[in-house]
């Protein structure tokens, strides 16, 4: 939004003009008329603001939260409000990972009663982006040569599969599917405007302890825009979008992007899909099929994009798979949601001497 830096006031009595420098959010008015003949000074004067001739600067209010990787155990991520001005305003969007440099300032809380507790905020001087989108990655000539060399390697696909979660033994088919999911398919747009998604959705259903969560966690850090969420602690608003009251300015309602929107053009990893409540799970239907989220809350009607692939994990209904009953009846997910997954892997933990020996030696290494 524009913020006024130099305000032009006009004396309501004699028409003299005064420039007043504006700092902070509160508007400062002149205390007395600066007319040299001194006719207005002793009387109460009203000043009129001339908004069209005043000078403005671009400003953006951002709220940054520390990244969850750097947290100590049990600590809640700290948040701080920053004010970005002039040419660096408006280049940041929700979900970017950034390092910001600036000056910490304190300001009195805007409250009816005077208070001695002050809020802190930051005047941002510069922004550095930590993670770039796919199209922003700079590829040097050496990188190009190495990529061309790799492309001629007949073992290319096997090497990519082997580099996914290398500490986890086996599951080559699952890793192969996830590698293909990372690259994605072709997004087709038909003549009538219908879009056929090119992103694959993969579901891993299996016994406890077959490293489903480990694969999900690894993939969320590997993909450029990877987001990890766990079923029981994720709500429909947290996955799609939440309507919150904005404290900046007029207190209107704004939308805050949820996990699937933040993972746009990336990978959304959702663990414990079977533990989610049915209302929260129903918010995934539209996001998975048409890859957008329609919101109608608090007077806001909006459509948000979530063109992401989804990698989900779930446990069978009885904790482990029972061999006597058919597998489909043991997965506690509605058929409408199941049909949206392109690949469903059943990962079973069967006792097997040779496999267990190979697994144990892999862990000990």
């Amino acid at each position: 939004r524009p913020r006024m830096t130099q305000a032009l006031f006009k004396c309501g009595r004699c028409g003299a003009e005064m420039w007043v420098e504006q700092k902070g959010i509160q508007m400062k008015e002149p205390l007395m008329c600066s007319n040299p003949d001194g006719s207005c000074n002793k009387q109460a004067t009203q000043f009129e603001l001339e908004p069209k001739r005043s000078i403005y600067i671009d400003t953006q209010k951002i709220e940054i939260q520390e990244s969850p990787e750097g947290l100590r155990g049990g600590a809640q991520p700290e948040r701080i409000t920053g004010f970005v001005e002039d040419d660096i305003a408006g280049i940041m969007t929700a979900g970017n990972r950034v390092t910001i440099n600036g000056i910490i300032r304190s300001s009195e809380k805007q409250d009816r009663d005077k208070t001695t507790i002050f809020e802190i905020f930051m005047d941002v001087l510069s922004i550095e982006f930590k993670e770039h989108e796919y199209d922003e990655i700079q590829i040097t000539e050496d990188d190009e040569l190495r990529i061309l060399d790799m492309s001629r390697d007949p073992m290319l696909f096997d090497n990519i599969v082997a580099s996914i979660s290398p500490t986890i033994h086996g599951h080559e088919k699952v890793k192969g599917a996830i590698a293909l999911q990372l690259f994605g398919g072709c997004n087709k747009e038909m003549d009538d405007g219908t879009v056929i998604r090119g992103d694959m959705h993969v579901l891993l259903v299996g016994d406890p302890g077959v490293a489903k969560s480990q694969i999900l966690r690894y993939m969320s850090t590997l993909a450029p825009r990877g987001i990890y969420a766990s079923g029981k602690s994720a709500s429909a608003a947290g996955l799609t979008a939440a309507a919150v009251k904005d404290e900046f300015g007029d207190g209107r309602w704004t939308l805050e992007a949820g996990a699937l929107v933040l993972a746009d053009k990336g990978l959304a990893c959702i663990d414990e899909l079977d533990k989610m409540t049915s209302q929260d799970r129903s918010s995934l239907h539209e996001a998975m099929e048409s890859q957008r989220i329609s919101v109608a809350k608090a007077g806001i009607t909006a459509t948000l994009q979530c063109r992401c692939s989804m990698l989900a994990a779930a446990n069978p209904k009885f904790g482990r798979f029972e061999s006597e009953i058919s597998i489909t009846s043991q997965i506690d997910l509605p058929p409408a949601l199941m049909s949206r997954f392109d690949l469903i892997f059943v990962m079973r933990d069967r006792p097997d001497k040779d496999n267990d020996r190979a697994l144990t030696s892999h862990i000990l290494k």
Side-chain angles (χ1 to χ4, degrees):
R1 299 187 188 182
R3 182 175 79 78
M4 196 179 280
T5 52
Q6 299 282 344
L8 178 61
F9 287 96
K10 207 172 181 181
C11 175
R13 202 175 279 271
C14 67
E17 292 184 344
M18 284 147 288
W19 287 93
V20 181
E21 190 182 351
Q22 301 293 333
K23 286 181 178 173
I25 297 177
Q26 298 292 319
M27 170 84 76
K28 285 193 187 72
E29 286 196 0
L31 296 171
M32 51 196 261
C33 175
S34 63
N35 197 340
D37 63 5
S39 56
C40 300
N41 285 353
K42 293 187 175 60
Q43 291 145 331
T45 315
Q46 217 170 2
F47 298 102
E48 287 170 29
L49 177 67
E50 296 266 314
K52 285 189 178 169
R53 289 171 60 201
S54 298
I55 298 169
Y56 298 89
I57 193 171
D58 286 339
T59 184
Q60 180 188 14
K61 181 195 177 195
I62 58 170
E63 191 170 44
I64 66 158
Q65 178 180 320
E66 71 181 309
S67 57
E69 295 88 56
L71 286 182
R72 290 179 297 285
Q76 197 178 343
E78 293 289 341
R79 299 171 83 123
I80 189 170
T81 304
F83 288 94
V84 189
E85 290 192 338
D86 206 15
D87 56 341
I88 53 170
I91 60 171
M92 226 164 85
T93 52
N96 290 147
R97 301 234 164 170
V98 292
T99 303
I100 64 172
N101 301 305
I103 302 164
I104 299 278
R105 310 253 191 227
S106 62
S107 71
E108 197 179 355
K109 270 188 176 176
Q110 298 301 320
D111 212 350
R112 206 177 51 208
D113 308 318
K114 295 278 184 191
T115 171
T116 54
I117 294 177
F118 279 51
E119 295 284 313
I120 56 167
F121 65 92
M122 189 179 225
D123 278 337
V124 180
L125 301 177
S126 75
I127 299 173
E128 297 165 42
F129 288 90
K130 273 190 180 176
E131 288 185 4
H132 293 286
E133 303 293 313
Y134 292 114
D135 49 7
E136 289 172 5
I137 296 171
Q138 300 293 323
I139 295 178
T140 62
E141 288 181 6
D142 293 349
D143 292 341
E144 273 187 46
L145 291 171
R146 286 174 65 189
I147 290 169
L148 287 168
D149 280 349
M150 279 174 69
S151 69
R152 296 189 193 98
D153 185 354
M155 299 290 287
L156 174 65
F157 184 67
D158 296 331
N159 291 342
I160 289 174
V161 170
S163 69
I164 288 179
S165 241
T167 50
I168 293 168
H169 177 261
H171 301 312
E172 275 77 21
K173 282 214 172 88
V174 176
K175 289 180 183 178
I178 292 171
L180 294 172
Q181 182 187 30
L182 274 182
F183 287 95
C186 302
N187 220 30
K188 294 197 180 86
E189 193 164 335
M190 299 300 168
D191 302 335
D192 60 352
T194 315
V195 178
I196 298 174
R197 66 179 165 88
D199 298 308
M200 280 166 48
H201 300 315
V202 179
L203 174 64
L204 313 177
V205 190
D207 295 329
V210 290
K212 299 187 299 294
S213 299
Q214 286 294 342
I215 292 175
L216 261 66
R217 224 168 263 260
Y218 184 86
M219 293 316 296
S220 68
T221 55
L222 182 67
R225 283 197 97 148
I227 295 282
Y228 179 87
S230 184
K232 195 67 181 168
S233 55
S235 67
L239 286 174
T240 55
V244 291
K245 210 162 192 151
D246 185 13
E247 293 169 4
F248 182 39
D250 46 14
R252 58 191 180 147
W253 287 88
T254 56
L255 283 181
E256 266 192 14
L260 294 177
V261 181
L262 292 179
D264 185 34
K265 292 193 173 172
L267 181 70
C269 303
I270 299 180
D271 204 359
E272 311 281 3
L273 190 67
D274 53 320
K275 312 278 190 304
M276 285 173 77
T277 60
S278 53
Q279 297 105 303
D280 295 340
R281 217 186 282 148
S282 64
S283 66
L284 298 175
H285 287 227
E286 183 194 16
M288 289 176 73
E289 195 44 63
S290 53
Q291 299 206 305
R292 56 171 192 259
I293 290 163
S294 309
V295 181
K297 291 177 180 177
I300 301 170
T301 312
T303 303
L304 304 171
Q305 298 279 6
C306 62
R307 296 155 295 189
C308 60
S309 308
M310 192 185 291
L311 175 61
N315 284 346
K317 207 186 285 187
F318 311 115
R320 284 178 75 95
F321 278 115
E322 302 284 342
S323 47
E324 292 80 35
I325 316 169
S326 70
I327 280 174
T328 43
S329 60
Q330 296 185 60
I331 299 173
D332 191 17
L333 290 172
L337 190 63
M338 291 283 284
S339 67
R340 282 170 168 74
F341 285 104
D342 307 295
L343 286 168
I344 300 174
F345 287 98
V346 174
M347 301 163 79
R348 304 195 62 173
D349 180 18
R350 288 199 182 94
D352 175 354
K353 204 184 230 174
D354 300 333
N355 193 32
D356 290 352
R357 185 178 286 116
L359 182 62
T360 316
S361 61
H362 175 81
I363 292 170
L364 291 174
K365 265 184 209 155

